[in-house]
Structures are given as C-alpha cells and as structure tokens.
C-alpha cells in the first residue's frame, strides 16, 4: 500500500464502533489502521474475482477438449495468406 495522502470518512453506529475497536485491540492495531487494512483486503478479494471464471468440472473439460479441435476459421486463414506489413531483419 502506498503513502496515506487521502482521507475517507464513514458513519457507524455505537455497536459497530465498539466491535471495530475490540477487533483492532485484539490484533494490536489502531482502529483506523484496522479499518484501512480490512477495507483494502476486501477490495483486493472483490477485484481478484473479476479475473476468475468459475465453471463446473464438466464445462471445464469440454472447454479443454474444444482447444484440441481446430475450427475452419476462414477469415483467419485469409489474413494469414496476406503479405506481411512488416518484415523481420
């Protein structure tokens, strides 16, 4: 995490405030640091889900099997036959 230059504020009720304070004390952190870390970790988990595709085992096996079978792909074949725009040295 980078330098702390911005400030974020939010409202909590007394019960949540007490729970946050107790949890922070248990891990020997200031309450603000405890909250900052918790928010950061949750954001990381949510953003990581964006990179994961979940599917059943059967669907995954079908996907892998399909990679072994070539399509006709006529448009791709046509593009491959065209002269190269750039030449390697």
């Amino acid at each position: 995490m980078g330098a702390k230059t911005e400030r974020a504020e939010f409202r909590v009720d007394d019960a949540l405030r007490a729970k946050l304070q107790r949890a922070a004390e248990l891990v020997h952190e200031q309450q603000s640091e405890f909250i900052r870390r918790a928010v950061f970790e949750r954001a990381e988990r949510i953003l990581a889900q964006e990179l994961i595709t979940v599917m059943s085992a059967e669907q995954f096996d079908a996907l892998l099997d399909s990679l072994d079978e070539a399509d006709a792909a006529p448009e791709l074949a046509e593009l491959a036959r065209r002269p190269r725009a750039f030449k390697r040295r």
Side-chain angles (χ1 to χ4, degrees), residues 56-68:
S56 68
E58 295 81 18
Q59 187 178 9
F60 182 74
D61 291 341
L63 173 66
L64 287 183
D65 290 342
S66 74
L67 295 176
D68 293 331

Side-chain angles (χ1 to χ4, degrees), residues 6-89:
E6 299 294 325
R7 182 179 183 90
E9 295 184 24
F10 60 96
R11 297 184 186 279
V12 297
D13 60 25
D14 290 339
L16 178 56
R17 177 74 148 183
K19 189 176 284 193
L20 291 171
Q21 184 61 44
R22 179 69 181 127
E25 289 170 359
L26 288 173
V27 293
H28 309 288
E29 291 179 356
Q30 293 291 323
Q31 186 175 356
S32 60
E33 179 65 11
F34 177 83
I35 293 168
R36 190 178 68 81
R37 284 178 185 253
V39 168
F40 178 81
E41 289 169 10
R42 179 152 190 237
E44 288 288 299
R45 282 194 311 272
I46 290 169
L47 293 173
Q49 289 175 0
E50 184 179 44
L51 304 174
I52 298 170
T53 302
V54 178
M55 64 182 72
S56 68
E58 295 81 18
Q59 187 178 9
F60 182 74
D61 291 341
L63 173 66
L64 287 183
D65 290 342
S66 74
L67 295 176
D68 293 331
E69 300 173 18
D71 305 20
E75 294 174 13
L76 185 57
E78 170 57 31
L79 289 172
R81 284 191 290 272
R82 290 185 186 175
R84 305 291 185 257
F86 301 97
K87 304 244 188 240
R88 288 188 178 180
R89 295 184 196 192

